Amino acid sequence: MNNSLPVQHYVPEQTIQSYLDALLQDAAMELALAEQAPPSQPVPVAEPVAPEPVVAVIPEPEVTQPLPIEQPEPVAPPAAAAVPAWREAPFEALLFDVGGLTLAVPLISLGSIHSLDGPITPLFGQPDWFLGLLPTQAGNLKVLDTARWIMPERYTPELRDSLRFVISVQGHEWGMAVHGVSQSIRLDPAQVKWRSGQGKRPWLAGTVIDQMCALVDVEALAELITTGKQAGARLG
């Protein structure tokens, strides 16, 4: 990897700002729609119509044994979507740079940070978002081209040349290739504009207005990688 090529040469600052603005706008719109959804309208009930009297011959009742009444089995209510525990209290997050865009990831989801001093071993027949294998003390780490997933519509091949670090992810055998690592910060859940539901960016957990960055949902990103679906297909 050639670490001498600054990212700013390939991604103009105004382009990054417009993309981050789009993330913030999407999250705000999703939250507004969820909060402003009109209550369900009551269904009018038609007035009952009195039936005409019918004269019928009532036969003598037959004495029969009463049939047992089967009680319906209780139906369990649908389980609510599990909310990660780290969202319920202040948490530490790591800020890093991908193609000029600042991202935040909860530290509880991350493993180690590896410097890209040496080459990444490529493997043939792999998707274009798979850069190859990085030898580490814990074994070979599969390297993800994070920019292709996070900002595929603004991706350029030159971004590969300026990658500097790989951040491993807890519980997975892959890591995210990034252009820079900034600092760790402490976030309160109230500082995050959380996504209200599924959208066109499944990896986005929310946005942090104070830091002007996007908070990554690592498990959602892991699910995309596992199923082999590139995020760009969901951004169309």
Side-chain angles (χ1 to χ4, degrees):
M1 296 292 172
N2 182 2
N3 296 337
S4 63
L5 299 178
V7 177
Q8 288 80 358
H9 287 181
Y10 303 111
V11 183
E13 182 178 353
Q14 60 269 26
T15 301
I16 295 300
Q17 185 61 49
S18 65
Y19 184 66
L20 182 56
D21 290 343
L23 295 182
L24 299 175
Q25 184 178 6
D26 287 350
M29 290 180 62
E30 290 179 0
L31 185 61
L33 289 175
E35 293 176 348
Q36 299 177 4
S40 57
Q41 298 296 329
V43 179
V45 179
E47 292 294 332
V49 178
E52 296 181 0
V54 178
V55 178
V57 178
I58 303 176
E60 291 293 332
E62 297 181 1
V63 179
T64 58
Q65 294 295 328
L67 296 177
I69 300 177
E70 296 183 359
Q71 297 294 331
E73 296 183 0
V75 179
V83 176
W86 58 266
R87 293 192 183 189
E88 303 297 326
F91 60 93
E92 300 290 331
L94 178 68
L95 298 181
F96 56 90
D97 172 82
V98 174
L101 178 68
T102 301
L103 300 175
V105 173
L107 284 179
I108 193 173
S109 302
L110 300 179
S112 304
I113 301 176
H114 305 276
S115 178
L116 282 178
D117 296 329
I120 296 176
T121 305
L123 294 179
F124 294 103
Q126 299 297 320
D128 52 6
W129 46 262
F130 179 74
L131 296 179
L133 299 176
L134 177 68
T136 69
Q137 293 182 350
N140 288 330
L141 184 65
K142 297 178 180 178
V143 181
L144 169 72
D145 191 347
T146 314
R148 280 191 177 271
W149 290 85
I150 300 301
M151 46 192 306
E153 68 273 34
R154 291 173 171 81
Y155 182 84
T156 59
E158 291 84 359
L159 289 175
R160 285 195 179 196
D161 298 330
S162 50
L163 293 170
R164 297 182 57 194
F165 301 97
V166 175
I167 306 174
S168 64
V169 178
Q170 287 282 10
H172 300 280
E173 56 184 4
W174 50 267
M176 299 180 292
V178 302
H179 296 92
V181 176
S182 177
Q183 60 180 328
S184 63
I185 60 174
R186 187 170 180 82
L187 291 175
D188 189 276
Q191 295 178 269
V192 181
K193 184 181 291 294
W194 300 101
R195 281 183 42 177
S196 59
Q198 288 296 328
K200 60 184 180 180
R201 295 179 176 89
W203 54 267
L204 181 64
T207 51
V208 186
I209 304 300
D210 294 343
Q211 299 292 332
M212 291 298 290
C213 67
L215 182 64
V216 178
D217 186 337
V218 174
E219 289 307 315
L221 181 60
E223 183 177 351
L224 289 174
I225 296 170
T226 301
T227 56
K229 296 179 180 179
Q230 186 172 350
R234 296 170 178 249
L235 295 177

Short mmCIF file of all heavy atoms in Angstrom, two decimals, residues 85-128:
data_model
loop_
_atom_site.label_atom_id
_atom_site.label_comp_id
_atom_site.label_asym_id
_atom_site.label_seq_id
_atom_site.Cartn_x
_atom_site.Cartn_y
_atom_site.Cartn_z
N ALA A 85 -27.25 -4.01 24.03
CA ALA A 85 -27.12 -3.44 25.36
C ALA A 85 -26.34 -2.14 25.36
O ALA A 85 -26.60 -1.24 26.16
CB ALA A 85 -26.45 -4.46 26.30
N TRP A 86 -25.37 -2.01 24.44
CA TRP A 86 -24.54 -0.81 24.44
C TRP A 86 -25.34 0.44 24.07
O TRP A 86 -24.90 1.57 24.33
CB TRP A 86 -23.35 -0.97 23.51
CG TRP A 86 -23.67 -1.26 22.06
CD1 TRP A 86 -23.74 -2.49 21.49
CD2 TRP A 86 -23.96 -0.32 21.03
NE1 TRP A 86 -24.07 -2.39 20.15
CE2 TRP A 86 -24.20 -1.06 19.84
CE3 TRP A 86 -24.04 1.07 20.98
CZ2 TRP A 86 -24.52 -0.46 18.63
CZ3 TRP A 86 -24.35 1.68 19.76
CH2 TRP A 86 -24.59 0.92 18.62
N ARG A 87 -26.53 0.28 23.49
CA ARG A 87 -27.34 1.44 23.14
C ARG A 87 -28.10 2.01 24.33
O ARG A 87 -28.63 3.11 24.26
CB ARG A 87 -28.36 1.07 22.06
CG ARG A 87 -27.76 0.73 20.71
CD ARG A 87 -28.87 0.69 19.67
NE ARG A 87 -28.38 0.31 18.36
CZ ARG A 87 -29.11 0.36 17.25
NH1 ARG A 87 -30.36 0.77 17.31
NH2 ARG A 87 -28.60 0.00 16.07
N GLU A 88 -28.17 1.27 25.42
CA GLU A 88 -28.99 1.66 26.55
C GLU A 88 -28.27 2.58 27.53
O GLU A 88 -28.89 3.11 28.45
CB GLU A 88 -29.46 0.41 27.30
CG GLU A 88 -30.24 -0.59 26.44
CD GLU A 88 -31.53 0.00 25.91
OE1 GLU A 88 -32.14 0.81 26.62
OE2 GLU A 88 -31.92 -0.34 24.78
N ALA A 89 -26.98 2.79 27.37
CA ALA A 89 -26.21 3.61 28.30
C ALA A 89 -25.08 4.28 27.52
O ALA A 89 -24.79 3.91 26.38
CB ALA A 89 -25.65 2.74 29.43
N PRO A 90 -24.43 5.29 28.10
CA PRO A 90 -23.28 5.90 27.43
C PRO A 90 -22.24 4.85 27.05
O PRO A 90 -21.98 3.91 27.81
CB PRO A 90 -22.74 6.88 28.49
CG PRO A 90 -23.95 7.24 29.30
CD PRO A 90 -24.78 5.97 29.37
N PHE A 91 -21.64 5.00 25.87
CA PHE A 91 -20.69 4.01 25.37
C PHE A 91 -19.52 4.70 24.69
O PHE A 91 -19.60 5.86 24.28
CB PHE A 91 -21.38 3.06 24.38
CG PHE A 91 -21.97 3.74 23.17
CD1 PHE A 91 -21.24 3.85 21.99
CD2 PHE A 91 -23.25 4.26 23.21
CE1 PHE A 91 -21.78 4.48 20.87
CE2 PHE A 91 -23.81 4.89 22.10
CZ PHE A 91 -23.07 5.00 20.92
N GLU A 92 -18.42 3.97 24.61
CA GLU A 92 -17.22 4.46 23.94
C GLU A 92 -17.27 4.06 22.46
O GLU A 92 -17.71 2.97 22.11
CB GLU A 92 -15.96 3.87 24.58
CG GLU A 92 -15.77 4.20 26.05
CD GLU A 92 -15.42 5.66 26.27
OE1 GLU A 92 -14.80 6.26 25.36
OE2 GLU A 92 -15.76 6.20 27.34
N ALA A 93 -16.84 4.98 21.61
CA ALA A 93 -16.83 4.71 20.17
C ALA A 93 -15.51 5.20 19.59
O ALA A 93 -14.92 6.18 20.07
CB ALA A 93 -18.00 5.41 19.47
N LEU A 94 -15.04 4.50 18.57
CA LEU A 94 -13.81 4.87 17.89
C LEU A 94 -14.16 5.62 16.61
O LEU A 94 -15.01 5.18 15.82
CB LEU A 94 -13.00 3.61 17.54
CG LEU A 94 -11.70 3.86 16.75
CD1 LEU A 94 -10.69 4.60 17.63
CD2 LEU A 94 -11.11 2.54 16.26
N LEU A 95 -13.51 6.76 16.42
CA LEU A 95 -13.68 7.54 15.20
C LEU A 95 -12.57 7.18 14.22
O LEU A 95 -11.40 7.13 14.60
CB LEU A 95 -13.64 9.04 15.50
CG LEU A 95 -14.73 9.61 16.42
CD1 LEU A 95 -14.54 11.11 16.58
CD2 LEU A 95 -16.11 9.30 15.88
N PHE A 96 -12.95 6.94 12.98
CA PHE A 96 -11.94 6.70 11.95
C PHE A 96 -12.42 7.25 10.62
O PHE A 96 -13.59 7.65 10.47
CB PHE A 96 -11.60 5.20 11.84
CG PHE A 96 -12.77 4.31 11.58
CD1 PHE A 96 -13.16 4.02 10.28
CD2 PHE A 96 -13.48 3.75 12.62
CE1 PHE A 96 -14.23 3.18 10.02
CE2 PHE A 96 -14.57 2.92 12.38
CZ PHE A 96 -14.94 2.63 11.07
N ASP A 97 -11.50 7.31 9.68
CA ASP A 97 -11.75 7.95 8.39
C ASP A 97 -11.80 6.91 7.28
O ASP A 97 -10.93 6.04 7.19
CB ASP A 97 -10.65 8.97 8.10
CG ASP A 97 -10.75 9.54 6.70
OD1 ASP A 97 -11.54 10.46 6.48
OD2 ASP A 97 -10.04 9.03 5.80
N VAL A 98 -12.83 7.00 6.44
CA VAL A 98 -12.93 6.16 5.24
C VAL A 98 -13.20 7.09 4.06
O VAL A 98 -14.29 7.64 3.94
CB VAL A 98 -14.06 5.12 5.37
CG1 VAL A 98 -14.25 4.36 4.06
CG2 VAL A 98 -13.76 4.13 6.48
N GLY A 99 -12.20 7.28 3.24
CA GLY A 99 -12.35 8.13 2.07
C GLY A 99 -12.73 9.55 2.39
O GLY A 99 -13.38 10.21 1.58
N GLY A 100 -12.35 10.06 3.56
CA GLY A 100 -12.69 11.41 3.95
C GLY A 100 -13.94 11.52 4.77
O GLY A 100 -14.25 12.59 5.30
N LEU A 101 -14.71 10.44 4.91
CA LEU A 101 -15.94 10.43 5.71
C LEU A 101 -15.61 9.89 7.10
O LEU A 101 -15.01 8.83 7.24
CB LEU A 101 -17.00 9.56 5.04
CG LEU A 101 -18.33 9.42 5.79
CD1 LEU A 101 -19.07 10.75 5.81
CD2 LEU A 101 -19.20 8.35 5.13
N THR A 102 -16.02 10.62 8.14
CA THR A 102 -15.78 10.18 9.52
C THR A 102 -16.87 9.21 9.95
O THR A 102 -18.06 9.49 9.83
CB THR A 102 -15.76 11.38 10.47
OG1 THR A 102 -14.73 12.29 10.08
CG2 THR A 102 -15.49 10.93 11.90
N LEU A 103 -16.43 8.06 10.43
CA LEU A 103 -17.35 7.03 10.92
C LEU A 103 -17.04 6.74 12.39
O LEU A 103 -15.92 6.94 12.86
CB LEU A 103 -17.19 5.74 10.11
CG LEU A 103 -17.46 5.83 8.61
CD1 LEU A 103 -17.13 4.51 7.94
CD2 LEU A 103 -18.90 6.22 8.34
N ALA A 104 -18.04 6.28 13.11
CA ALA A 104 -17.89 5.88 14.51
C ALA A 104 -18.37 4.46 14.67
O ALA A 104 -19.39 4.07 14.09
CB ALA A 104 -18.68 6.81 15.42
N VAL A 105 -17.63 3.67 15.46
CA VAL A 105 -18.01 2.29 15.73
C VAL A 105 -17.86 2.05 17.23
O VAL A 105 -16.85 2.45 17.82
CB VAL A 105 -17.12 1.29 14.95
CG1 VAL A 105 -17.41 -0.14 15.39
CG2 VAL A 105 -17.33 1.42 13.46
N PRO A 106 -18.87 1.45 17.89
CA PRO A 106 -18.73 1.15 19.32
C PRO A 106 -17.49 0.29 19.59
O PRO A 106 -17.24 -0.69 18.88
CB PRO A 106 -20.02 0.39 19.64
CG PRO A 106 -20.98 0.80 18.58
CD PRO A 106 -20.17 1.03 17.35
N LEU A 107 -16.71 0.68 20.58
CA LEU A 107 -15.48 -0.06 20.89
C LEU A 107 -15.77 -1.51 21.24
O LEU A 107 -14.95 -2.39 21.00
CB LEU A 107 -14.73 0.62 22.04
CG LEU A 107 -13.96 1.91 21.69
CD1 LEU A 107 -13.30 2.46 22.93
CD2 LEU A 107 -12.93 1.64 20.61
N ILE A 108 -16.96 -1.76 21.81
CA ILE A 108 -17.30 -3.13 22.21
C ILE A 108 -17.37 -4.05 21.00
O ILE A 108 -17.26 -5.27 21.12
CB ILE A 108 -18.63 -3.14 22.99
CG1 ILE A 108 -18.84 -4.47 23.69
CG2 ILE A 108 -19.80 -2.83 22.07
CD1 ILE A 108 -20.04 -4.50 24.60
N SER A 109 -17.55 -3.49 19.79
CA SER A 109 -17.67 -4.29 18.58
C SER A 109 -16.33 -4.53 17.90
O SER A 109 -16.26 -5.29 16.92
CB SER A 109 -18.62 -3.61 17.58
OG SER A 109 -19.90 -3.42 18.14
N LEU A 110 -15.27 -3.87 18.39
CA LEU A 110 -13.98 -3.91 17.70
C LEU A 110 -12.97 -4.78 18.43
O LEU A 110 -13.10 -5.06 19.62
CB LEU A 110 -13.43 -2.49 17.54
CG LEU A 110 -14.32 -1.52 16.75
CD1 LEU A 110 -13.67 -0.15 16.68
CD2 LEU A 110 -14.61 -2.06 15.36
N GLY A 111 -11.96 -5.20 17.66
CA GLY A 111 -10.88 -5.99 18.22
C GLY A 111 -9.59 -5.19 18.26
O GLY A 111 -9.41 -4.33 19.11
N SER A 112 -8.69 -5.46 17.31
CA SER A 112 -7.38 -4.81 17.28
C SER A 112 -7.24 -3.93 16.04
O SER A 112 -7.95 -4.10 15.04
CB SER A 112 -6.26 -5.86 17.28
OG SER A 112 -6.39 -6.73 18.40
N ILE A 113 -6.30 -2.99 16.12
CA ILE A 113 -5.96 -2.13 14.99
C ILE A 113 -4.62 -2.58 14.44
O ILE A 113 -3.63 -2.65 15.17
CB ILE A 113 -5.91 -0.66 15.41
CG1 ILE A 113 -7.27 -0.21 15.97
CG2 ILE A 113 -5.51 0.22 14.23
CD1 ILE A 113 -7.27 1.20 16.48
N HIS A 114 -4.58 -2.90 13.17
CA HIS A 114 -3.35 -3.37 12.52
C HIS A 114 -2.91 -2.35 11.48
O HIS A 114 -3.72 -1.86 10.68
CB HIS A 114 -3.59 -4.72 11.84
CG HIS A 114 -4.13 -5.78 12.76
ND1 HIS A 114 -3.34 -6.54 13.58
CD2 HIS A 114 -5.41 -6.17 13.00
CE1 HIS A 114 -4.08 -7.37 14.28
NE2 HIS A 114 -5.35 -7.17 13.95
N SER A 115 -1.61 -2.03 11.50
CA SER A 115 -1.06 -1.10 10.52
C SER A 115 -0.77 -1.83 9.22
O SER A 115 -0.30 -2.98 9.22
CB SER A 115 0.22 -0.46 11.07
OG SER A 115 0.79 0.41 10.12
N LEU A 116 -1.05 -1.17 8.11
CA LEU A 116 -0.79 -1.77 6.80
C LEU A 116 0.62 -1.43 6.34
O LEU A 116 0.84 -0.73 5.34
CB LEU A 116 -1.82 -1.28 5.77
CG LEU A 116 -3.20 -1.93 5.85
CD1 LEU A 116 -4.13 -1.32 4.81
CD2 LEU A 116 -3.09 -3.42 5.62
N ASP A 117 1.61 -1.95 7.09
CA ASP A 117 3.00 -1.73 6.70
C ASP A 117 3.42 -2.65 5.56
O ASP A 117 4.25 -2.29 4.73
CB ASP A 117 3.93 -1.95 7.90
CG ASP A 117 3.66 -0.93 9.00
OD1 ASP A 117 3.27 0.20 8.66
OD2 ASP A 117 3.83 -1.28 10.19
N GLY A 118 2.81 -3.84 5.53
CA GLY A 118 3.16 -4.81 4.50
C GLY A 118 2.02 -5.00 3.52
O GLY A 118 0.93 -4.43 3.68
N PRO A 119 2.25 -5.82 2.51
CA PRO A 119 1.20 -6.03 1.50
C PRO A 119 0.10 -6.96 2.00
O PRO A 119 0.29 -7.76 2.92
CB PRO A 119 1.96 -6.68 0.35
CG PRO A 119 3.10 -7.40 1.01
CD PRO A 119 3.48 -6.55 2.19
N ILE A 120 -1.05 -6.82 1.39
CA ILE A 120 -2.18 -7.72 1.62
C ILE A 120 -2.15 -8.79 0.54
O ILE A 120 -2.01 -8.49 -0.64
CB ILE A 120 -3.52 -6.96 1.57
CG1 ILE A 120 -3.58 -5.93 2.71
CG2 ILE A 120 -4.70 -7.92 1.67
CD1 ILE A 120 -4.82 -5.08 2.68
N THR A 121 -2.24 -10.05 0.95
CA THR A 121 -2.18 -11.15 0.00
C THR A 121 -3.51 -11.30 -0.72
O THR A 121 -4.52 -11.64 -0.09
CB THR A 121 -1.82 -12.47 0.70
OG1 THR A 121 -0.59 -12.29 1.42
CG2 THR A 121 -1.67 -13.59 -0.31
N PRO A 122 -3.58 -11.04 -2.02
CA PRO A 122 -4.86 -11.16 -2.73
C PRO A 122 -5.22 -12.62 -2.97
O PRO A 122 -4.35 -13.50 -3.01
CB PRO A 122 -4.60 -10.42 -4.05
CG PRO A 122 -3.13 -10.58 -4.27
CD PRO A 122 -2.50 -10.59 -2.91
N LEU A 123 -6.49 -12.89 -3.13
CA LEU A 123 -6.99 -14.21 -3.47
C LEU A 123 -7.83 -14.09 -4.74
O LEU A 123 -8.64 -13.17 -4.87
CB LEU A 123 -7.84 -14.79 -2.33
CG LEU A 123 -7.12 -15.11 -1.02
CD1 LEU A 123 -8.12 -15.65 0.00
CD2 LEU A 123 -6.00 -16.10 -1.24
N PHE A 124 -7.64 -15.01 -5.66
CA PHE A 124 -8.36 -14.97 -6.92
C PHE A 124 -9.79 -15.46 -6.73
O PHE A 124 -10.09 -16.27 -5.86
CB PHE A 124 -7.65 -15.82 -7.97
CG PHE A 124 -6.29 -15.28 -8.35
CD1 PHE A 124 -5.13 -15.87 -7.85
CD2 PHE A 124 -6.17 -14.18 -9.18
CE1 PHE A 124 -3.88 -15.38 -8.18
CE2 PHE A 124 -4.92 -13.69 -9.51
CZ PHE A 124 -3.77 -14.29 -9.02
N GLY A 125 -10.68 -14.96 -7.57
CA GLY A 125 -12.06 -15.41 -7.55
C GLY A 125 -12.90 -14.84 -6.43
O GLY A 125 -13.96 -15.38 -6.13
N GLN A 126 -12.45 -13.76 -5.81
CA GLN A 126 -13.18 -13.15 -4.71
C GLN A 126 -13.90 -11.90 -5.18
O GLN A 126 -13.56 -11.31 -6.20
CB GLN A 126 -12.22 -12.81 -3.56
CG GLN A 126 -11.50 -14.01 -2.97
CD GLN A 126 -12.47 -15.00 -2.33
OE1 GLN A 126 -13.42 -14.61 -1.67
NE2 GLN A 126 -12.21 -16.28 -2.54
N PRO A 127 -14.93 -11.42 -4.43
CA PRO A 127 -15.62 -10.17 -4.80
C PRO A 127 -14.66 -8.99 -4.78
O PRO A 127 -13.61 -9.03 -4.13
CB PRO A 127 -16.71 -10.04 -3.73
CG PRO A 127 -16.86 -11.41 -3.15
CD PRO A 127 -15.53 -12.07 -3.26
N ASP A 128 -15.03 -7.92 -5.49
CA ASP A 128 -14.14 -6.76 -5.57
C ASP A 128 -14.00 -6.03 -4.24
O ASP A 128 -13.06 -5.26 -4.05
CB ASP A 128 -14.61 -5.79 -6.66
CG ASP A 128 -16.08 -5.41 -6.51
OD1 ASP A 128 -16.68 -5.80 -5.49
OD2 ASP A 128 -16.62 -4.73 -7.41
#
